[in-house]
PDB file of all heavy atoms in Angstrom:
ATOM      1  N   ASN C 667       2.737   9.212   3.235  1.00  0.00           N
ATOM      2  CA  ASN C 667       2.576  10.662   3.220  1.00  0.00           C
ATOM      3  C   ASN C 667       1.130  11.093   3.446  1.00  0.00           C
ATOM      4  O   ASN C 667       0.652  12.062   2.858  1.00  0.00           O
ATOM      5  CB  ASN C 667       3.105  11.249   1.914  1.00  0.00           C
ATOM      6  CG  ASN C 667       4.617  11.187   1.827  1.00  0.00           C
ATOM      7  OD1 ASN C 667       5.322  11.767   2.631  1.00  0.00           O
ATOM      8  ND2 ASN C 667       5.115  10.442   0.844  1.00  0.00           N
ATOM      9  N   ARG C 668       0.417  10.373   4.263  1.00  0.00           N
ATOM     10  CA  ARG C 668      -0.923  10.767   4.652  1.00  0.00           C
ATOM     11  C   ARG C 668      -1.296  10.087   5.959  1.00  0.00           C
ATOM     12  O   ARG C 668      -0.725   9.072   6.338  1.00  0.00           O
ATOM     13  CB  ARG C 668      -1.930  10.409   3.574  1.00  0.00           C
ATOM     14  CG  ARG C 668      -2.179   8.926   3.366  1.00  0.00           C
ATOM     15  CD  ARG C 668      -3.086   8.705   2.141  1.00  0.00           C
ATOM     16  NE  ARG C 668      -4.236   9.547   2.169  1.00  0.00           N
ATOM     17  CZ  ARG C 668      -4.740  10.171   1.081  1.00  0.00           C
ATOM     18  NH1 ARG C 668      -4.199   9.987  -0.082  1.00  0.00           N
ATOM     19  NH2 ARG C 668      -5.803  10.948   1.174  1.00  0.00           N
ATOM     20  N   PHE C 669      -2.241  10.677   6.658  1.00  0.00           N
ATOM     21  CA  PHE C 669      -2.702  10.119   7.911  1.00  0.00           C
ATOM     22  C   PHE C 669      -3.463   8.823   7.655  1.00  0.00           C
ATOM     23  O   PHE C 669      -4.070   8.628   6.609  1.00  0.00           O
ATOM     24  CB  PHE C 669      -3.590  11.120   8.658  1.00  0.00           C
ATOM     25  CG  PHE C 669      -2.863  12.345   9.124  1.00  0.00           C
ATOM     26  CD1 PHE C 669      -3.083  13.563   8.508  1.00  0.00           C
ATOM     27  CD2 PHE C 669      -1.961  12.287  10.168  1.00  0.00           C
ATOM     28  CE1 PHE C 669      -2.400  14.699   8.915  1.00  0.00           C
ATOM     29  CE2 PHE C 669      -1.275  13.423  10.589  1.00  0.00           C
ATOM     30  CZ  PHE C 669      -1.496  14.617   9.961  1.00  0.00           C
ATOM     31  N   MET C 670      -3.397   7.948   8.642  1.00  0.00           N
ATOM     32  CA  MET C 670      -4.120   6.684   8.581  1.00  0.00           C
ATOM     33  C   MET C 670      -5.421   6.822   9.351  1.00  0.00           C
ATOM     34  O   MET C 670      -5.412   7.073  10.567  1.00  0.00           O
ATOM     35  CB  MET C 670      -3.273   5.556   9.184  1.00  0.00           C
ATOM     36  CG  MET C 670      -1.943   5.300   8.462  1.00  0.00           C
ATOM     37  SD  MET C 670      -2.179   4.487   6.862  1.00  0.00           S
ATOM     38  CE  MET C 670      -1.533   5.766   5.779  1.00  0.00           C
ATOM     39  N   HIS C 671      -6.558   6.699   8.672  1.00  0.00           N
ATOM     40  CA  HIS C 671      -7.855   6.852   9.316  1.00  0.00           C
ATOM     41  C   HIS C 671      -8.662   5.564   9.347  1.00  0.00           C
ATOM     42  O   HIS C 671      -9.444   5.344  10.261  1.00  0.00           O
ATOM     43  CB  HIS C 671      -8.679   7.934   8.604  1.00  0.00           C
ATOM     44  CG  HIS C 671      -8.098   9.310   8.716  1.00  0.00           C
ATOM     45  ND1 HIS C 671      -7.882   9.932   9.925  1.00  0.00           N
ATOM     46  CD2 HIS C 671      -7.684  10.173   7.771  1.00  0.00           C
ATOM     47  CE1 HIS C 671      -7.364  11.134   9.714  1.00  0.00           C
ATOM     48  NE2 HIS C 671      -7.228  11.298   8.419  1.00  0.00           N
ATOM     49  N   THR C 672      -8.532   4.728   8.362  1.00  0.00           N
ATOM     50  CA  THR C 672      -9.364   3.533   8.241  1.00  0.00           C
ATOM     51  C   THR C 672      -8.512   2.282   8.300  1.00  0.00           C
ATOM     52  O   THR C 672      -7.308   2.311   8.009  1.00  0.00           O
ATOM     53  CB  THR C 672     -10.154   3.538   6.922  1.00  0.00           C
ATOM     54  OG1 THR C 672      -9.237   3.386   5.815  1.00  0.00           O
ATOM     55  CG2 THR C 672     -10.925   4.847   6.747  1.00  0.00           C
ATOM     56  N   ASP C 673      -9.163   1.176   8.659  1.00  0.00           N
ATOM     57  CA  ASP C 673      -8.408  -0.071   8.694  1.00  0.00           C
ATOM     58  C   ASP C 673      -7.943  -0.477   7.294  1.00  0.00           C
ATOM     59  O   ASP C 673      -6.896  -1.112   7.134  1.00  0.00           O
ATOM     60  CB  ASP C 673      -9.201  -1.184   9.372  1.00  0.00           C
ATOM     61  CG  ASP C 673     -10.502  -1.509   8.674  1.00  0.00           C
ATOM     62  OD1 ASP C 673     -10.952  -0.684   7.869  1.00  0.00           O
ATOM     63  OD2 ASP C 673     -11.080  -2.585   8.947  1.00  0.00           O
ATOM     64  N   ALA C 674      -8.682  -0.080   6.242  1.00  0.00           N
ATOM     65  CA  ALA C 674      -8.257  -0.376   4.871  1.00  0.00           C
ATOM     66  C   ALA C 674      -6.950   0.349   4.543  1.00  0.00           C
ATOM     67  O   ALA C 674      -6.079  -0.208   3.864  1.00  0.00           O
ATOM     68  CB  ALA C 674      -9.344   0.014   3.877  1.00  0.00           C
ATOM     69  N   GLN C 675      -6.794   1.595   5.009  1.00  0.00           N
ATOM     70  CA  GLN C 675      -5.552   2.320   4.789  1.00  0.00           C
ATOM     71  C   GLN C 675      -4.386   1.622   5.475  1.00  0.00           C
ATOM     72  O   GLN C 675      -3.279   1.548   4.932  1.00  0.00           O
ATOM     73  CB  GLN C 675      -5.690   3.760   5.281  1.00  0.00           C
ATOM     74  CG  GLN C 675      -6.593   4.620   4.416  1.00  0.00           C
ATOM     75  CD  GLN C 675      -6.823   5.996   4.996  1.00  0.00           C
ATOM     76  OE1 GLN C 675      -6.836   6.186   6.217  1.00  0.00           O
ATOM     77  NE2 GLN C 675      -7.033   6.985   4.133  1.00  0.00           N
ATOM     78  N   TYR C 676      -4.627   1.097   6.673  1.00  0.00           N
ATOM     79  CA  TYR C 676      -3.595   0.332   7.355  1.00  0.00           C
ATOM     80  C   TYR C 676      -3.249  -0.929   6.558  1.00  0.00           C
ATOM     81  O   TYR C 676      -2.072  -1.271   6.379  1.00  0.00           O
ATOM     82  CB  TYR C 676      -4.056  -0.056   8.764  1.00  0.00           C
ATOM     83  CG  TYR C 676      -3.898   1.026   9.804  1.00  0.00           C
ATOM     84  CD1 TYR C 676      -4.908   1.942  10.042  1.00  0.00           C
ATOM     85  CD2 TYR C 676      -2.744   1.118  10.560  1.00  0.00           C
ATOM     86  CE1 TYR C 676      -4.780   2.932  11.009  1.00  0.00           C
ATOM     87  CE2 TYR C 676      -2.602   2.107  11.534  1.00  0.00           C
ATOM     88  CZ  TYR C 676      -3.620   2.999  11.748  1.00  0.00           C
ATOM     89  OH  TYR C 676      -3.475   3.990  12.699  1.00  0.00           O
ATOM     90  N   PHE C 677      -4.272  -1.615   6.071  1.00  0.00           N
ATOM     91  CA  PHE C 677      -4.058  -2.856   5.320  1.00  0.00           C
ATOM     92  C   PHE C 677      -3.182  -2.612   4.098  1.00  0.00           C
ATOM     93  O   PHE C 677      -2.169  -3.279   3.898  1.00  0.00           O
ATOM     94  CB  PHE C 677      -5.404  -3.450   4.914  1.00  0.00           C
ATOM     95  CG  PHE C 677      -5.293  -4.669   4.033  1.00  0.00           C
ATOM     96  CD1 PHE C 677      -5.091  -5.921   4.590  1.00  0.00           C
ATOM     97  CD2 PHE C 677      -5.379  -4.564   2.648  1.00  0.00           C
ATOM     98  CE1 PHE C 677      -4.980  -7.056   3.784  1.00  0.00           C
ATOM     99  CE2 PHE C 677      -5.274  -5.682   1.839  1.00  0.00           C
ATOM    100  CZ  PHE C 677      -5.063  -6.928   2.414  1.00  0.00           C
ATOM    101  N   PHE C 678      -3.577  -1.652   3.283  1.00  0.00           N
ATOM    102  CA  PHE C 678      -2.821  -1.402   2.059  1.00  0.00           C
ATOM    103  C   PHE C 678      -1.469  -0.756   2.355  1.00  0.00           C
ATOM    104  O   PHE C 678      -0.523  -0.933   1.588  1.00  0.00           O
ATOM    105  CB  PHE C 678      -3.641  -0.552   1.095  1.00  0.00           C
ATOM    106  CG  PHE C 678      -4.771  -1.308   0.450  1.00  0.00           C
ATOM    107  CD1 PHE C 678      -6.089  -1.012   0.754  1.00  0.00           C
ATOM    108  CD2 PHE C 678      -4.510  -2.329  -0.446  1.00  0.00           C
ATOM    109  CE1 PHE C 678      -7.128  -1.722   0.175  1.00  0.00           C
ATOM    110  CE2 PHE C 678      -5.556  -3.051  -1.027  1.00  0.00           C
ATOM    111  CZ  PHE C 678      -6.868  -2.745  -0.714  1.00  0.00           C
ATOM    112  N   GLY C 679      -1.364  -0.018   3.457  1.00  0.00           N
ATOM    113  CA  GLY C 679      -0.078   0.540   3.835  1.00  0.00           C
ATOM    114  C   GLY C 679       0.950  -0.531   4.139  1.00  0.00           C
ATOM    115  O   GLY C 679       2.097  -0.475   3.679  1.00  0.00           O
ATOM    116  N   ILE C 680       0.556  -1.526   4.937  1.00  0.00           N
ATOM    117  CA  ILE C 680       1.461  -2.634   5.245  1.00  0.00           C
ATOM    118  C   ILE C 680       1.757  -3.441   3.985  1.00  0.00           C
ATOM    119  O   ILE C 680       2.902  -3.827   3.729  1.00  0.00           O
ATOM    120  CB  ILE C 680       0.866  -3.533   6.342  1.00  0.00           C
ATOM    121  CG1 ILE C 680       0.662  -2.728   7.636  1.00  0.00           C
ATOM    122  CG2 ILE C 680       1.785  -4.729   6.618  1.00  0.00           C
ATOM    123  CD1 ILE C 680      -0.146  -3.461   8.695  1.00  0.00           C
ATOM    124  N   LEU C 681       0.723  -3.671   3.178  1.00  0.00           N
ATOM    125  CA  LEU C 681       0.911  -4.416   1.938  1.00  0.00           C
ATOM    126  C   LEU C 681       1.863  -3.673   0.997  1.00  0.00           C
ATOM    127  O   LEU C 681       2.717  -4.294   0.344  1.00  0.00           O
ATOM    128  CB  LEU C 681      -0.439  -4.653   1.266  1.00  0.00           C
ATOM    129  CG  LEU C 681      -0.480  -5.642   0.089  1.00  0.00           C
ATOM    130  CD1 LEU C 681       0.069  -7.004   0.494  1.00  0.00           C
ATOM    131  CD2 LEU C 681      -1.910  -5.782  -0.427  1.00  0.00           C
ATOM    132  N   ASP C 682       1.740  -2.342   0.926  1.00  0.00           N
ATOM    133  CA  ASP C 682       2.654  -1.539   0.112  1.00  0.00           C
ATOM    134  C   ASP C 682       4.112  -1.777   0.521  1.00  0.00           C
ATOM    135  O   ASP C 682       5.001  -1.886  -0.329  1.00  0.00           O
ATOM    136  CB  ASP C 682       2.338  -0.050   0.254  1.00  0.00           C
ATOM    137  CG  ASP C 682       1.184   0.404  -0.626  1.00  0.00           C
ATOM    138  OD1 ASP C 682       0.695  -0.398  -1.446  1.00  0.00           O
ATOM    139  OD2 ASP C 682       0.757   1.570  -0.478  1.00  0.00           O
ATOM    140  N   SER C 683       4.365  -1.820   1.826  1.00  0.00           N
ATOM    141  CA  SER C 683       5.737  -1.981   2.308  1.00  0.00           C
ATOM    142  C   SER C 683       6.327  -3.317   1.868  1.00  0.00           C
ATOM    143  O   SER C 683       7.528  -3.407   1.590  1.00  0.00           O
ATOM    144  CB  SER C 683       5.783  -1.855   3.838  1.00  0.00           C
ATOM    145  OG  SER C 683       5.190  -2.979   4.484  1.00  0.00           O
ATOM    146  N   LEU C 684       5.495  -4.348   1.793  1.00  0.00           N
ATOM    147  CA  LEU C 684       5.961  -5.656   1.328  1.00  0.00           C
ATOM    148  C   LEU C 684       6.115  -5.679  -0.191  1.00  0.00           C
ATOM    149  O   LEU C 684       7.030  -6.312  -0.728  1.00  0.00           O
ATOM    150  CB  LEU C 684       4.990  -6.745   1.785  1.00  0.00           C
ATOM    151  CG  LEU C 684       4.949  -6.987   3.302  1.00  0.00           C
ATOM    152  CD1 LEU C 684       3.754  -7.845   3.674  1.00  0.00           C
ATOM    153  CD2 LEU C 684       6.240  -7.651   3.776  1.00  0.00           C
ATOM    154  N   MET C 685       5.246  -4.963  -0.890  1.00  0.00           N
ATOM    155  CA  MET C 685       5.339  -4.896  -2.343  1.00  0.00           C
ATOM    156  C   MET C 685       6.588  -4.144  -2.788  1.00  0.00           C
ATOM    157  O   MET C 685       7.153  -4.434  -3.845  1.00  0.00           O
ATOM    158  CB  MET C 685       4.080  -4.270  -2.925  1.00  0.00           C
ATOM    159  CG  MET C 685       2.839  -5.131  -2.736  1.00  0.00           C
ATOM    160  SD  MET C 685       1.316  -4.365  -3.325  1.00  0.00           S
ATOM    161  CE  MET C 685       1.539  -4.447  -5.116  1.00  0.00           C
ATOM    162  N   ASP C 686       7.014  -3.170  -1.986  1.00  0.00           N
ATOM    163  CA  ASP C 686       8.273  -2.491  -2.276  1.00  0.00           C
ATOM    164  C   ASP C 686       9.433  -3.486  -2.289  1.00  0.00           C
ATOM    165  O   ASP C 686      10.353  -3.377  -3.108  1.00  0.00           O
ATOM    166  CB  ASP C 686       8.549  -1.405  -1.238  1.00  0.00           C
ATOM    167  CG  ASP C 686       7.725  -0.146  -1.449  1.00  0.00           C
ATOM    168  OD1 ASP C 686       7.205   0.051  -2.569  1.00  0.00           O
ATOM    169  OD2 ASP C 686       7.597   0.648  -0.487  1.00  0.00           O
ATOM    170  N   LEU C 687       9.389  -4.455  -1.392  1.00  0.00           N
ATOM    171  CA  LEU C 687      10.473  -5.433  -1.274  1.00  0.00           C
ATOM    172  C   LEU C 687      10.544  -6.372  -2.467  1.00  0.00           C
ATOM    173  O   LEU C 687      11.616  -6.893  -2.776  1.00  0.00           O
ATOM    174  CB  LEU C 687      10.323  -6.246   0.017  1.00  0.00           C
ATOM    175  CG  LEU C 687      10.473  -5.472   1.336  1.00  0.00           C
ATOM    176  CD1 LEU C 687      10.204  -6.403   2.507  1.00  0.00           C
ATOM    177  CD2 LEU C 687      11.868  -4.875   1.448  1.00  0.00           C
ATOM    178  N   ILE C 688       9.408  -6.601  -3.131  1.00  0.00           N
ATOM    179  CA  ILE C 688       9.406  -7.503  -4.282  1.00  0.00           C
ATOM    180  C   ILE C 688       9.414  -6.727  -5.597  1.00  0.00           C
ATOM    181  O   ILE C 688       9.213  -7.314  -6.666  1.00  0.00           O
ATOM    182  CB  ILE C 688       8.212  -8.480  -4.237  1.00  0.00           C
ATOM    183  CG1 ILE C 688       6.878  -7.728  -4.366  1.00  0.00           C
ATOM    184  CG2 ILE C 688       8.239  -9.306  -2.956  1.00  0.00           C
ATOM    185  CD1 ILE C 688       5.679  -8.661  -4.541  1.00  0.00           C
ATOM    186  N   ASN C 689       9.645  -5.404  -5.495  1.00  0.00           N
ATOM    187  CA  ASN C 689       9.724  -4.552  -6.682  1.00  0.00           C
ATOM    188  C   ASN C 689       8.473  -4.672  -7.554  1.00  0.00           C
ATOM    189  O   ASN C 689       8.546  -4.879  -8.771  1.00  0.00           O
ATOM    190  CB  ASN C 689      10.976  -4.887  -7.507  1.00  0.00           C
ATOM    191  CG  ASN C 689      12.266  -4.622  -6.753  1.00  0.00           C
ATOM    192  OD1 ASN C 689      12.432  -3.571  -6.142  1.00  0.00           O
ATOM    193  ND2 ASN C 689      13.175  -5.601  -6.767  1.00  0.00           N
ATOM    194  N   ALA C 690       7.327  -4.527  -6.928  1.00  0.00           N
ATOM    195  CA  ALA C 690       6.055  -4.610  -7.645  1.00  0.00           C
ATOM    196  C   ALA C 690       5.916  -3.445  -8.625  1.00  0.00           C
ATOM    197  O   ALA C 690       6.536  -2.387  -8.458  1.00  0.00           O
ATOM    198  CB  ALA C 690       4.895  -4.623  -6.659  1.00  0.00           C
ATOM    199  N   ASP C 691       5.104  -3.645  -9.625  1.00  0.00           N
ATOM    200  CA  ASP C 691       4.904  -2.666 -10.691  1.00  0.00           C
ATOM    201  C   ASP C 691       3.859  -1.642 -10.257  1.00  0.00           C
ATOM    202  O   ASP C 691       2.694  -1.980 -10.038  1.00  0.00           O
ATOM    203  CB  ASP C 691       4.456  -3.377 -11.965  1.00  0.00           C
ATOM    204  CG  ASP C 691       4.414  -2.457 -13.183  1.00  0.00           C
ATOM    205  OD1 ASP C 691       4.557  -1.225 -13.016  1.00  0.00           O
ATOM    206  OD2 ASP C 691       4.231  -2.970 -14.302  1.00  0.00           O
ATOM    207  N   VAL C 692       4.273  -0.371 -10.139  1.00  0.00           N
ATOM    208  CA  VAL C 692       3.366   0.675  -9.686  1.00  0.00           C
ATOM    209  C   VAL C 692       2.386   1.085 -10.787  1.00  0.00           C
ATOM    210  O   VAL C 692       1.365   1.729 -10.498  1.00  0.00           O
ATOM    211  CB  VAL C 692       4.174   1.902  -9.198  1.00  0.00           C
ATOM    212  CG1 VAL C 692       4.768   2.686 -10.371  1.00  0.00           C
ATOM    213  CG2 VAL C 692       3.334   2.802  -8.302  1.00  0.00           C
ATOM    214  N   GLU C 693       2.646   0.718 -12.027  1.00  0.00           N
ATOM    215  CA  GLU C 693       1.754   1.071 -13.129  1.00  0.00           C
ATOM    216  C   GLU C 693       0.687   0.004 -13.389  1.00  0.00           C
ATOM    217  O   GLU C 693      -0.196   0.216 -14.224  1.00  0.00           O
ATOM    218  CB  GLU C 693       2.569   1.267 -14.408  1.00  0.00           C
ATOM    219  CG  GLU C 693       3.566   2.412 -14.366  1.00  0.00           C
ATOM    220  CD  GLU C 693       4.326   2.573 -15.653  1.00  0.00           C
ATOM    221  OE1 GLU C 693       3.676   2.761 -16.701  1.00  0.00           O
ATOM    222  OE2 GLU C 693       5.570   2.474 -15.642  1.00  0.00           O
ATOM    223  N   LYS C 694       0.740  -1.081 -12.698  1.00  0.00           N
ATOM    224  CA  LYS C 694      -0.161  -2.200 -12.945  1.00  0.00           C
ATOM    225  C   LYS C 694      -1.325  -2.184 -11.963  1.00  0.00           C
ATOM    226  O   LYS C 694      -1.197  -1.738 -10.826  1.00  0.00           O
ATOM    227  CB  LYS C 694       0.608  -3.520 -12.809  1.00  0.00           C
ATOM    228  CG  LYS C 694      -0.196  -4.768 -13.076  1.00  0.00           C
ATOM    229  CD  LYS C 694       0.676  -6.013 -12.932  1.00  0.00           C
ATOM    230  CE  LYS C 694      -0.147  -7.280 -13.146  1.00  0.00           C
ATOM    231  NZ  LYS C 694       0.685  -8.510 -12.967  1.00  0.00           N
ATOM    232  N   ILE C 695      -2.477  -2.668 -12.418  1.00  0.00           N
ATOM    233  CA  ILE C 695      -3.612  -2.887 -11.523  1.00  0.00           C
ATOM    234  C   ILE C 695      -3.534  -4.333 -11.047  1.00  0.00           C
ATOM    235  O   ILE C 695      -3.673  -5.276 -11.827  1.00  0.00           O
ATOM    236  CB  ILE C 695      -4.952  -2.614 -12.226  1.00  0.00           C
ATOM    237  CG1 ILE C 695      -5.001  -1.165 -12.727  1.00  0.00           C
ATOM    238  CG2 ILE C 695      -6.114  -2.877 -11.271  1.00  0.00           C
ATOM    239  CD1 ILE C 695      -6.255  -0.826 -13.507  1.00  0.00           C
ATOM    240  N   HIS C 696      -3.305  -4.517  -9.754  1.00  0.00           N
ATOM    241  CA  HIS C 696      -3.077  -5.832  -9.173  1.00  0.00           C
ATOM    242  C   HIS C 696      -4.363  -6.422  -8.607  1.00  0.00           C
ATOM    243  O   HIS C 696      -5.371  -5.726  -8.431  1.00  0.00           O
ATOM    244  CB  HIS C 696      -2.039  -5.738  -8.050  1.00  0.00           C
ATOM    245  CG  HIS C 696      -0.718  -5.163  -8.466  1.00  0.00           C
ATOM    246  ND1 HIS C 696       0.320  -5.932  -8.950  1.00  0.00           N
ATOM    247  CD2 HIS C 696      -0.247  -3.882  -8.467  1.00  0.00           C
ATOM    248  CE1 HIS C 696       1.359  -5.160  -9.223  1.00  0.00           C
ATOM    249  NE2 HIS C 696       1.034  -3.906  -8.936  1.00  0.00           N
TER     250      HIS C 696
END
């Protein structure tokens, strides 16, 4: 839900999509 401007945003965006698949904890600092 936001524009992608930096390569870091791309990195964490792709990583987020994989973390969704493993049901990662959104309340935890990883």
Side-chain angles (χ1 to χ4, degrees):
N667 289 299
R668 69 187 312 139
F669 294 108
M670 299 287 117
H671 295 301
T672 68
D673 61 343
Q675 289 174 329
Y676 279 89
F677 175 83
F678 287 112
I680 299 170
L681 191 56
D682 279 353
S683 71
L684 292 167
M685 293 176 72
D686 283 341
L687 295 176
I688 65 171
N689 297 313
D691 188 350
V692 74
E693 297 181 58
K694 182 179 178 182
I695 301 177
H696 303 271

